[in-house]
């Protein structure tokens, strides 16, 4: 079972905003950098956010990340049909000495 | 352009072995940690193992510890995952990924290689 907890699904109309939470603990989120990934159907995960709130080149500023304590949040504004995908948070767990991922969240554009 | 190409997947019987490879190009391979992540059919991502750029440091998930071995050949720009004593629950798409640090979980991922463990 995943160490990091995400809501199973979120949805909103085109143009609206969604937020996805990622809840963990002191051994992972609180003391390590968080990354966020987008996985379109049938494809490999793609990095959206690294180091809690940094975007790789080519990722639009509609995607944002934040972290507070043992939780992290991914925000998507101006929702588009192409944003329909599964989203995962990930980080290092210092107690496990292992990487950990969230349970995943499916974003649906209504 | 960064490219990561996994190979070596396939069908194997329970208890069998398989070695995955990940050929890297487009970046200075030995400057990056490399990670294996797997995804069982219809399930979420599961971190498997990571190796430092030099190959001197490795970490494993408890689920594979003692059965899987991660290694790399920096002269060939290739990452490996030797999988022994395979179980049905190891059935998954296996992705390799690069990262700036051994404590990351991947900043660029390959397309994956399917491993099916079944009798």
């Amino acid at each position: 079972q995943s160490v990091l907890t995400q809501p199973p699904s979120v949805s909103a109309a085109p143009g609206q905003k969604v937020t996805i939470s990622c809840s963990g603990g002191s051994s992972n989120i609180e003391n390590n950098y968080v990354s966020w990934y987008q996985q379109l159907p049938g494809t490999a995960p793609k990095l959206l956010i690294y180091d809690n709130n940094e975007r790789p080149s080519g990722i639009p500023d509609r995607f944002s990340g934040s972290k507070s304590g043992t939780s992290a949040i991914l925000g998507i504004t101006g929702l588009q049909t192409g944003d329909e995908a599964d989203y995962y948070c990930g980080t290092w767990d210092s107690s496990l000495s292992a990487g950990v991922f969230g349970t995943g969240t499916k974003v649906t554009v209504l | 352009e960064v490219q990561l190409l996994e190979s070596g997947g396939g069908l194997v019987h329970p208890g069998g072995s398989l070695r995955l490879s990940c050929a890297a190009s487009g970046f200075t391979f030995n400057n990056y940690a490399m990670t294996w992540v797997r995804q069982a059919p219809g399930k979420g991502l599961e971190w498997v193992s990571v190796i430092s750029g030099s190959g001197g440091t490795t970490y494993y998930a408890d689920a594979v510890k003692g059965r899987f071995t991660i290694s790399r050949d920096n002269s060939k720009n290739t990452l490996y995952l030797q999988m022994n004593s395979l179980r049905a629950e190891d059935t998954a798409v296996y992705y390799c990924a690069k990262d700036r640090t051994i404590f990351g979980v991947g900043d660029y991922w390959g397309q994956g290689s399917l491993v099916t463990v079944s009798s």
Side-chain angles (χ1 to χ4, degrees):
Chain A
Q1 57 276 27
S2 300
V3 172
L4 307 179
T5 302
Q6 299 178 229
S9 63
V10 298
S11 61
Q16 297 301 302
K17 174 181 179 178
V18 295
T19 59
I20 300 170
S21 60
C22 175
S23 178
S26 59
S27 63
N28 42 68
I29 290 179
E30 186 168 41
N31 290 291
N32 291 286
Y33 285 120
V34 176
S35 299
W36 286 93
Y37 303 88
Q38 177 193 61
Q39 187 175 32
L40 297 168
T43 69
K46 174 183 176 181
L47 182 67
L48 292 178
I49 299 290
Y50 68 97
D51 290 358
N52 304 330
N53 55 18
E54 300 292 333
R55 279 177 288 105
S57 60
I59 301 300
D61 59 7
R62 301 188 299 107
F63 296 92
S64 64
S66 64
K67 187 180 88 168
S68 179
T70 60
S71 293
I73 293 176
L74 173 71
I76 310 174
T77 59
L79 204 59
Q80 302 174 0
T81 56
D83 296 333
E84 285 202 332
D86 293 322
Y87 292 81
Y88 295 90
C89 57
T91 187
W92 185 257
D93 191 296
S94 305
S95 293
L96 297 174
S97 292
V100 290
F101 287 100
T103 48
T105 299
K106 182 176 183 60
V107 170
T108 300
V109 181
L110 301 173
Chain B
E1 178 192 4
V2 173
Q3 289 195 25
L4 296 171
L5 184 61
E6 300 93 340
S7 61
L11 175 64
V12 61
H13 294 310
S17 298
L18 210 57
R19 188 177 82 158
L20 300 181
S21 299
C22 171
S25 60
F27 63 101
T28 305
F29 186 65
N30 60 9
N31 283 352
Y32 288 83
M34 296 296 295
T35 296
W36 288 100
V37 177
R38 67 185 181 183
Q39 187 170 35
K43 303 297 184 181
L45 302 176
E46 181 184 15
W47 183 90
V48 173
S49 182
V50 65
I51 187 168
S52 62
S54 67
T57 302
T58 59
Y59 295 102
Y60 296 91
D62 285 345
V64 307
K65 202 170 293 182
R67 300 188 298 123
F68 290 12
T69 302
I70 191 171
S71 62
R72 64 192 296 161
D73 185 337
N74 286 344
S75 68
K76 296 182 179 180
N77 287 358
T78 302
L79 172 73
Y80 302 101
L81 185 68
Q82 177 66 44
M83 304 183 293
N84 299 330
S85 302
L86 283 162
R87 307 166 180 167
E89 54 265 36
D90 296 318
T91 294
V93 173
Y94 285 72
Y95 297 100
C96 66
K98 59 179 276 292
D99 206 288
R100 300 166 300 151
T101 165
I102 196 169
F103 303 118
V105 289
D107 59 20
Y108 186 88
W109 299 45
Q111 289 308 299
S113 181
L114 176 62
V115 173
T116 303
V117 184
S118 174
S119 54

